[in-house]
Amino acid sequence: MDATAAPGIQEPFDLIRLSLSERVFVKLRGDRELTGVLHAYDGHMNLILSDVEETILIVDGGEGGKTNGTVNLAKRKMAMLFVRGDGVILVRTSYDLLDAIDLCRRQKIVQKCAKLC
C-alpha cells in the first residue's frame, strides 16, 4: 500500500469499516444514487443504511429515440434501507484521509511523551 495511506487502511473494505455510523454516498446501477448513514456491510457489499435519500435520474426519450428528451430527478426518503451489493457501483465515504494521518501523528506524539514521563 502507498506510504501516504492512513494507518489501519490496508484493503478497500477498511475504508468502508472506518465509515460505519457515518454518512456515505452510494451510486447504484439504473441511474440511482443514495446518501445515508452506514450501519452494516458485508463482503458482497450488501449495505444497511438509515436516514436515506434516494435520487433517481429519469430520462424521457425524444420522438423516435432521439437524444433530445427531458431529464428529471425523482427523490424520496426512507428511514432504513437494505442495499443488495450486486447493484453497488461506487461508495464514497466522508472519511478524510488527511485527518486520519494527522490523528495518527498526534497519537504517536502522545505515546512518545508518555514514555518520557
Side-chain angles (χ1 to χ4, degrees), residues 64-96:
K66 295 179 183 175
T67 59
N68 59 358
T70 60
V71 177
N72 295 309
L73 291 178
K75 292 189 178 205
R76 65 179 175 168
K77 294 188 179 209
M78 294 159 275
M80 189 69 72
L81 183 67
F82 174 86
V83 180
R84 187 170 170 179
D86 66 350
V88 174
I89 296 172
L90 171 136
V91 177
R92 184 177 69 211
T93 67
S94 61
Y95 184 71
D96 188 346

Side-chain angles (χ1 to χ4, degrees), residues 12-13 18 24 32-33 36-37 43 45 48-49 58 60 63 69-70 74-75 82 86 92 97 100 117:
F13 277 118
L18 291 170
V24 295
R32 294 174 183 261
E33 298 174 349
V37 178
M45 196 52 85
I48 296 179
L49 303 171
I58 302 169
D60 295 325
E63 293 181 21
T70 60
K75 292 189 178 205
F82 174 86
D86 66 350
R92 184 177 69 211
L97 200 55
C117 295

Side-chain angles (χ1 to χ4, degrees):
M1 189 104 209
D2 190 314
T4 61
I9 299 179
Q10 302 297 323
E11 299 179 11
F13 277 118
D14 292 340
L15 189 60
I16 302 296
R17 178 182 47 81
L18 291 170
S19 298
L20 286 170
S21 300
E22 299 290 332
R23 186 160 283 283
V24 295
F25 169 84
V26 182
K27 184 165 179 61
L28 301 171
R29 293 181 186 180
D31 296 321
R32 294 174 183 261
E33 298 174 349
L34 306 170
T35 57
V37 178
L38 179 64
H39 289 280
Y41 69 97
D42 65 12
H44 299 287
M45 196 52 85
N46 295 319
L47 308 172
I48 296 179
L49 303 171
S50 69
D51 190 24
V52 182
E53 181 175 73
E54 178 182 29
T55 304
I56 305 166
L57 181 70
I58 302 169
V59 180
D60 295 325
E63 293 181 21
K66 295 179 183 175
T67 59
N68 59 358
T70 60
V71 177
N72 295 309
L73 291 178
K75 292 189 178 205
R76 65 179 175 168
K77 294 188 179 209
M78 294 159 275
M80 189 69 72
L81 183 67
F82 174 86
V83 180
R84 187 170 170 179
D86 66 350
V88 174
I89 296 172
L90 171 136
V91 177
R92 184 177 69 211
T93 67
S94 61
Y95 184 71
D96 188 346
L97 200 55
L98 296 176
D99 287 342
I101 292 169
D102 185 50
L103 176 63
C104 178
R105 287 181 182 149
R106 281 186 272 138
Q107 288 174 343
K108 286 180 181 178
I109 291 170
V110 169
Q111 291 171 353
K112 285 180 183 179
C113 290
K115 288 179 184 178
L116 294 174
C117 295

